[in-house]
Amino acid sequence: LLNNYGFVEFGREYESILGFWAKFDAQRGRRRDLMVEMLDKVIQAIAIHGNSVIVGRSGFTVLAGFADVFHIRLQSPFESRVRRLMEIENLTKLEAETICEDGDKVRSEFVQDFYGVSWENARAFDLVINMDKVAADLALDIIVDSVRALEISPTEGKITTRSLMVDTVLAGAVSDMLQCSLNHTKEAVFQT
């Protein structure tokens, strides 16, 4: 979706780690700030649809504090992730370690640089599951039960994603991407 709005280099920018001097490049810094601002708007536009899963990209910070959002972190120890990557991608241990280290560093720096939050802050999540100790089927059951409990908990008097201000054009683009036929305009506030 970001590509449709002129952010064709989003993946490359997100996955890159800025070197020391690159952090002082005002033009690149402004471009990255605009990218993150647009990312936040897209995450919010998806959130007003409800019943959405937003994986990564710091959704836990963008949607922090909303009573109708459930933040989940799935994690496992470094060595377990390396072993799993070696098996799935048929990589050497060194290759898998490099990929895991680089990925961790990119995500950590992205969240820290743009949101001022530690990527490893478990307190930012409603549920944290160590996938090294919990089987995938059990983790799925825990997540589904937790989200169902959230759906029946009262939100009256609490801030929900329905209070988000979302651009109508962007909301329409998100509806198209999600192939959603529901009209959310009655429930959410849109900017024109």
Side-chain angles (χ1 to χ4, degrees), residues 50-131:
N51 297 325
S52 301
V53 176
I54 299 170
V55 179
R57 304 289 194 237
S58 38
F60 75 97
T61 60
V62 176
L63 299 174
F66 290 101
D68 58 339
V69 176
F70 197 77
H71 300 282
I72 302 165
R73 179 180 170 101
L74 303 177
Q75 63 185 32
S76 61
F78 181 79
E79 285 302 320
S80 296
R81 292 185 289 131
V82 168
R83 207 171 33 254
R84 194 170 302 126
L85 194 56
M86 288 170 59
E87 293 168 7
I88 293 170
E89 298 294 329
N90 195 28
L91 300 172
T92 67
K93 184 174 183 180
L94 181 59
E95 291 169 329
E97 286 175 341
T98 301
I99 290 171
C100 286
E101 287 169 353
D102 290 349
D104 288 353
K105 187 171 182 176
V106 165
R107 284 184 277 289
S108 177
E109 284 190 15
F110 180 81
V111 174
Q112 184 65 50
D113 288 352
F114 290 104
Y115 301 97
V117 177
S118 171
W119 177 61
E120 296 179 353
N121 181 5
R123 289 176 290 191
F125 298 90
D126 301 303
L127 175 65
V128 177
I129 300 176
N130 182 340
M131 297 303 295

Side-chain angles (χ1 to χ4, degrees), residues 162-180:
R162 300 290 178 225
S163 67
L164 287 168
M165 299 286 288
V166 179
D167 177 82
T168 53
V169 174
L170 180 58
V174 168
S175 289
D176 290 346
M177 292 292 287
L178 295 175
Q179 299 177 345
C180 178

